[in-house]
Structure formats: structure tokens, C-alpha cells
Amino acid sequence: MKELAGKIKLTEKEISDYIDEANETLDRAYVPYSKFPVAALLIDQNGKKFKGVNVENASYGVGICAERNVIPTAVTEGMKKIKLLVVTGGTPEPISPCGACRQFISEFSDKDTVIILTNRDKKYKIWSIDELLPYSFGPEDL
Ligand code: THU
């Protein structure tokens, strides 16, 4: 059992299964231009699961990242807080989310949110949102 200080507890098997599921979703990424698939698996405050991939467009700038694809879907279904987010890519190392996605994730995260960054080889590292986006701008700054 991995004890994630004050956060959800995940067994190695659960981590491994979530990573497998995220990796299985990678093939659904629509990436004809970059050929750089990304997939995100999100568990909300009620344990409800959502998945998203990056979806590109012939008008390149219109494409959307996997993280910013899954979060609006989850919000539409009642997600208030991200309990767990797994992000994976066809990268040699665990994927690194872009800055825009870090900001987007931050809106629905707190100190207990567990973020697992991984890749097809299941190499992974667990992060908090504060580690990924320190000194962030949030609703309390408005
Ligand atoms: N991409 C994501 O989906 N998430 C990230 O955090 C990094 C980048 C996508 C956008 C684009 O479709 C492709 O990866 C290459 O940048």
C-alpha cells in the first residue's frame, strides 16, 4: 500500500491498473499532425472515472490536450474535485503536462489530489499540484 500523506491510499495494483487503463486509451488520441498521443484518466470526489485524449485539428491551434479534454467532460457530469489524475504519453519518460494544462488541473485540485505522470512503459512518478504548479494563480487571488 502506498501511503500518500493525507491523500487517497492506492495499492501498487490499483496504480498499475489505472496506468494500464490510461495507456489503453492512448490509441484513441486523434493526433494526425503531431503523432504525439496523450491520455488522461480522472477519478472525481465520488470515485467516478473519466477518460480523455488529445484531439488535434487541421487548424493546428484549435487542438485540445488530453487533460483539458477530460476535465470539462468530468465537470459536466458533476466533478467538483480531482481525486486522482493519471496522464500518460508515448514518451520515453513520464509525460510532462503543458503549462496551460497545469493551470487547468489546478482549478479542480487541492493538496490531496494525486497526480500520476507516466508513459507506455509504466514508468511513473506521483506529484501534487503544488509541485507541478508552485505559487499558482487561483480563485483565491481574484
Ligand atoms: N499535449 C497534451 O495532450 N497534453 C499535454 O500536457 C502536452 C501536450 C498534446 C497537444 C498536442 O496534441 C500534442 O500533445 C503535441 O503537443
Side-chain angles (χ1 to χ4, degrees):
M1 183 80 73
K2 261 208 157 56
E3 294 275 346
L4 305 165
K7 305 170 183 169
I8 60 165
K9 292 185 180 73
L10 289 167
T11 62
E12 286 294 348
K13 163 102 171 72
E14 284 168 324
I15 292 173
S16 171
D17 288 350
Y18 282 136
I19 291 175
D20 280 342
E21 197 171 345
N23 275 330
E24 281 157 23
T25 314
L26 266 183
D27 294 336
R28 294 193 210 139
Y30 179 75
V31 289
Y33 309 106
S34 73
K35 314 267 195 254
F36 188 93
V38 182
L41 179 151
L42 186 158
I43 306 289
D44 77 3
Q45 73 285 350
N46 296 320
K48 207 164 164 182
K49 184 164 58 184
F50 303 91
K51 285 179 275 184
V53 292
N54 52 336
V55 179
E56 299 182 344
N57 192 277
S59 176
Y60 299 158
V62 178
I64 188 155
C65 291
E67 302 92 316
R68 278 178 295 142
N69 193 8
V70 74
I71 290 172
T73 303
V75 168
T76 307
E77 297 294 322
M79 187 271 282
K80 303 283 183 226
K81 195 63 70 183
I82 301 172
K83 198 147 109 179
L84 171 70
L85 182 70
V86 179
V87 188
T88 188
T91 41
E93 292 300 315
I95 191 156
S96 175
C98 79
C101 286
R102 290 175 196 225
Q103 180 69 27
F104 214 83
I105 295 163
S106 157
E107 185 77 18
F108 301 98
S109 297
D110 62 19
K111 60 176 181 26
D112 295 332
T113 298
V114 173
I115 302 166
I116 301 179
L117 302 181
T118 186
N119 64 2
R120 279 197 206 271
D121 300 331
K122 302 184 70 172
K123 199 164 168 182
Y124 75 90
K125 189 167 177 215
I126 298 178
W127 301 80
S128 68
I129 189 60
D130 263 4
E131 289 168 330
L132 291 181
L133 191 67
Y135 194 58
S136 65
F137 179 82
E140 65 286 354
D141 298 306
L142 291 171

Short mmCIF file of all heavy atoms in Angstrom, two decimals, residues 48-77:
data_model
loop_
_atom_site.label_atom_id
_atom_site.label_comp_id
_atom_site.label_asym_id
_atom_site.label_seq_id
_atom_site.Cartn_x
_atom_site.Cartn_y
_atom_site.Cartn_z
N LYS A 48 -15.98 8.55 -9.38
CA LYS A 48 -16.41 8.38 -10.77
C LYS A 48 -15.22 8.58 -11.70
O LYS A 48 -14.40 9.47 -11.47
CB LYS A 48 -17.50 9.43 -11.06
CG LYS A 48 -18.47 9.04 -12.13
CD LYS A 48 -19.71 9.94 -12.07
CE LYS A 48 -20.49 9.83 -13.36
NZ LYS A 48 -21.66 10.70 -13.40
N LYS A 49 -15.16 7.74 -12.74
CA LYS A 49 -13.99 7.73 -13.62
C LYS A 49 -14.30 8.35 -14.99
O LYS A 49 -15.36 8.10 -15.56
CB LYS A 49 -13.55 6.28 -13.80
CG LYS A 49 -12.30 6.09 -14.59
CD LYS A 49 -11.72 4.70 -14.41
CE LYS A 49 -12.67 3.60 -14.78
NZ LYS A 49 -12.13 2.27 -14.53
N PHE A 50 -13.34 9.11 -15.49
CA PHE A 50 -13.47 9.74 -16.81
C PHE A 50 -12.15 9.57 -17.56
O PHE A 50 -11.09 9.54 -16.94
CB PHE A 50 -13.76 11.24 -16.67
CG PHE A 50 -15.00 11.53 -15.86
CD1 PHE A 50 -14.90 11.73 -14.48
CD2 PHE A 50 -16.24 11.59 -16.46
CE1 PHE A 50 -16.03 11.98 -13.73
CE2 PHE A 50 -17.38 11.84 -15.71
CZ PHE A 50 -17.27 12.05 -14.34
N LYS A 51 -12.24 9.55 -18.89
CA LYS A 51 -11.02 9.46 -19.69
C LYS A 51 -11.06 10.47 -20.83
O LYS A 51 -12.15 10.81 -21.33
CB LYS A 51 -10.87 8.04 -20.25
CG LYS A 51 -10.42 7.06 -19.18
CD LYS A 51 -10.27 5.67 -19.69
CE LYS A 51 -11.60 4.94 -19.65
NZ LYS A 51 -11.48 3.54 -20.06
N GLY A 52 -9.90 10.92 -21.23
CA GLY A 52 -9.82 11.86 -22.34
C GLY A 52 -8.50 11.70 -23.07
O GLY A 52 -7.52 11.21 -22.51
N VAL A 53 -8.50 12.11 -24.32
CA VAL A 53 -7.28 12.07 -25.14
C VAL A 53 -7.09 13.42 -25.81
O VAL A 53 -8.02 14.23 -25.84
CB VAL A 53 -7.37 10.96 -26.23
CG1 VAL A 53 -7.36 9.58 -25.62
CG2 VAL A 53 -8.60 11.17 -27.11
N ASN A 54 -5.90 13.65 -26.36
CA ASN A 54 -5.73 14.89 -27.12
C ASN A 54 -6.39 14.72 -28.50
O ASN A 54 -6.35 13.64 -29.10
CB ASN A 54 -4.27 15.33 -27.22
CG ASN A 54 -3.30 14.27 -27.70
OD1 ASN A 54 -3.56 13.08 -27.58
ND2 ASN A 54 -2.18 14.71 -28.25
N VAL A 55 -7.02 15.79 -28.92
CA VAL A 55 -7.73 15.79 -30.19
C VAL A 55 -7.24 16.99 -31.00
O VAL A 55 -7.47 18.13 -30.61
CB VAL A 55 -9.26 15.86 -29.98
CG1 VAL A 55 -9.99 15.90 -31.32
CG2 VAL A 55 -9.75 14.69 -29.14
N GLU A 56 -6.51 16.69 -32.08
CA GLU A 56 -5.92 17.76 -32.89
C GLU A 56 -6.86 18.18 -34.01
O GLU A 56 -7.95 17.61 -34.19
CB GLU A 56 -4.55 17.28 -33.41
CG GLU A 56 -3.62 16.98 -32.25
CD GLU A 56 -2.23 16.54 -32.67
OE1 GLU A 56 -2.03 16.18 -33.84
OE2 GLU A 56 -1.34 16.57 -31.80
N ASN A 57 -6.44 19.20 -34.74
CA ASN A 57 -7.30 19.76 -35.78
C ASN A 57 -6.42 20.29 -36.91
O ASN A 57 -5.30 20.75 -36.66
CB ASN A 57 -8.13 20.90 -35.16
CG ASN A 57 -9.25 21.34 -36.07
OD1 ASN A 57 -9.06 22.13 -36.98
ND2 ASN A 57 -10.43 20.80 -35.83
N ALA A 58 -6.96 20.28 -38.13
CA ALA A 58 -6.24 20.81 -39.28
C ALA A 58 -5.87 22.27 -39.05
O ALA A 58 -4.84 22.75 -39.53
CB ALA A 58 -7.07 20.66 -40.54
N SER A 59 -6.71 22.96 -38.29
CA SER A 59 -6.36 24.30 -37.82
C SER A 59 -5.61 24.10 -36.51
O SER A 59 -6.21 24.00 -35.44
CB SER A 59 -7.63 25.13 -37.62
OG SER A 59 -7.28 26.39 -37.08
N TYR A 60 -4.28 23.94 -36.60
CA TYR A 60 -3.47 23.37 -35.52
C TYR A 60 -3.78 23.93 -34.12
O TYR A 60 -3.89 23.18 -33.15
CB TYR A 60 -1.98 23.58 -35.80
CG TYR A 60 -1.47 22.92 -37.06
CD1 TYR A 60 -0.31 23.39 -37.67
CD2 TYR A 60 -2.14 21.85 -37.64
CE1 TYR A 60 0.18 22.80 -38.83
CE2 TYR A 60 -1.66 21.26 -38.81
CZ TYR A 60 -0.50 21.74 -39.40
OH TYR A 60 -0.03 21.17 -40.54
N GLY A 61 -3.92 25.25 -34.02
CA GLY A 61 -4.09 25.87 -32.71
C GLY A 61 -5.38 25.52 -32.00
O GLY A 61 -5.54 25.76 -30.81
N VAL A 62 -6.32 24.94 -32.73
CA VAL A 62 -7.63 24.61 -32.17
C VAL A 62 -7.59 23.28 -31.40
O VAL A 62 -8.48 22.98 -30.61
CB VAL A 62 -8.68 24.56 -33.31
CG1 VAL A 62 -10.04 24.17 -32.80
CG2 VAL A 62 -8.74 25.91 -34.02
N GLY A 63 -6.56 22.49 -31.63
CA GLY A 63 -6.46 21.18 -30.98
C GLY A 63 -6.50 21.31 -29.47
O GLY A 63 -6.19 22.37 -28.91
N ILE A 64 -6.91 20.23 -28.81
CA ILE A 64 -7.01 20.26 -27.35
C ILE A 64 -6.19 19.15 -26.71
O ILE A 64 -6.13 18.02 -27.24
CB ILE A 64 -8.49 20.22 -26.89
CG1 ILE A 64 -8.59 20.46 -25.39
CG2 ILE A 64 -9.17 18.92 -27.28
CD1 ILE A 64 -9.90 21.02 -24.94
N CYS A 65 -5.58 19.48 -25.59
CA CYS A 65 -4.79 18.50 -24.84
C CYS A 65 -5.73 17.51 -24.13
O CYS A 65 -6.89 17.82 -23.85
CB CYS A 65 -3.96 19.20 -23.77
SG CYS A 65 -2.62 20.21 -24.39
N ALA A 66 -5.18 16.34 -23.81
CA ALA A 66 -5.95 15.29 -23.14
C ALA A 66 -6.51 15.78 -21.80
O ALA A 66 -7.67 15.52 -21.46
CB ALA A 66 -5.06 14.08 -22.92
N GLU A 67 -5.70 16.49 -21.04
CA GLU A 67 -6.12 16.95 -19.70
C GLU A 67 -7.26 17.94 -19.81
O GLU A 67 -8.22 17.91 -19.05
CB GLU A 67 -4.96 17.61 -18.96
CG GLU A 67 -3.72 16.74 -18.78
CD GLU A 67 -2.71 16.89 -19.91
OE1 GLU A 67 -3.11 16.92 -21.10
OE2 GLU A 67 -1.51 16.98 -19.60
N ARG A 68 -7.14 18.87 -20.79
CA ARG A 68 -8.20 19.88 -20.95
C ARG A 68 -9.37 19.33 -21.74
O ARG A 68 -10.34 20.04 -21.99
CB ARG A 68 -7.63 21.16 -21.58
CG ARG A 68 -6.96 22.03 -20.53
CD ARG A 68 -6.34 23.26 -21.11
NE ARG A 68 -5.24 22.91 -22.00
CZ ARG A 68 -4.97 23.53 -23.14
NH1 ARG A 68 -5.75 24.50 -23.55
NH2 ARG A 68 -3.93 23.17 -23.85
N ASN A 69 -9.28 18.09 -22.14
CA ASN A 69 -10.42 17.41 -22.75
C ASN A 69 -11.20 16.67 -21.67
O ASN A 69 -12.42 16.75 -21.61
CB ASN A 69 -9.91 16.43 -23.81
CG ASN A 69 -11.04 15.93 -24.69
OD1 ASN A 69 -12.16 16.42 -24.62
ND2 ASN A 69 -10.74 14.96 -25.54
N VAL A 70 -10.50 15.98 -20.79
CA VAL A 70 -11.21 15.15 -19.80
C VAL A 70 -11.88 16.01 -18.71
O VAL A 70 -12.95 15.66 -18.22
CB VAL A 70 -10.27 14.08 -19.17
CG1 VAL A 70 -9.27 14.68 -18.19
CG2 VAL A 70 -11.07 13.00 -18.48
N ILE A 71 -11.26 17.12 -18.32
CA ILE A 71 -11.80 17.89 -17.20
C ILE A 71 -13.19 18.47 -17.51
O ILE A 71 -14.11 18.30 -16.69
CB ILE A 71 -10.79 18.96 -16.72
CG1 ILE A 71 -9.61 18.25 -16.02
CG2 ILE A 71 -11.44 19.97 -15.77
CD1 ILE A 71 -8.43 19.14 -15.65
N PRO A 72 -13.41 19.11 -18.65
CA PRO A 72 -14.76 19.60 -18.94
C PRO A 72 -15.81 18.49 -18.99
O PRO A 72 -16.95 18.68 -18.56
CB PRO A 72 -14.61 20.29 -20.29
CG PRO A 72 -13.18 20.68 -20.35
CD PRO A 72 -12.44 19.57 -19.66
N THR A 73 -15.43 17.33 -19.49
CA THR A 73 -16.36 16.19 -19.50
C THR A 73 -16.75 15.82 -18.07
O THR A 73 -17.93 15.63 -17.76
CB THR A 73 -15.68 14.95 -20.17
OG1 THR A 73 -15.26 15.33 -21.46
CG2 THR A 73 -16.63 13.77 -20.24
N ALA A 74 -15.74 15.76 -17.20
CA ALA A 74 -16.00 15.40 -15.81
C ALA A 74 -16.85 16.48 -15.12
O ALA A 74 -17.78 16.15 -14.38
CB ALA A 74 -14.67 15.21 -15.07
N VAL A 75 -16.55 17.74 -15.38
CA VAL A 75 -17.32 18.84 -14.77
C VAL A 75 -18.79 18.73 -15.20
O VAL A 75 -19.70 18.89 -14.39
CB VAL A 75 -16.74 20.21 -15.17
CG1 VAL A 75 -17.68 21.35 -14.81
CG2 VAL A 75 -15.38 20.42 -14.49
N THR A 76 -19.00 18.41 -16.45
CA THR A 76 -20.36 18.28 -16.98
C THR A 76 -21.14 17.20 -16.23
O THR A 76 -22.34 17.29 -16.04
CB THR A 76 -20.31 17.93 -18.49
OG1 THR A 76 -19.51 18.90 -19.14
CG2 THR A 76 -21.69 17.92 -19.11
N GLU A 77 -20.41 16.18 -15.76
CA GLU A 77 -21.04 15.07 -15.04
C GLU A 77 -21.00 15.24 -13.53
O GLU A 77 -21.29 14.30 -12.80
CB GLU A 77 -20.35 13.75 -15.43
CG GLU A 77 -20.48 13.38 -16.90
CD GLU A 77 -21.92 13.06 -17.32
OE1 GLU A 77 -22.63 12.43 -16.52
OE2 GLU A 77 -22.32 13.46 -18.43
#
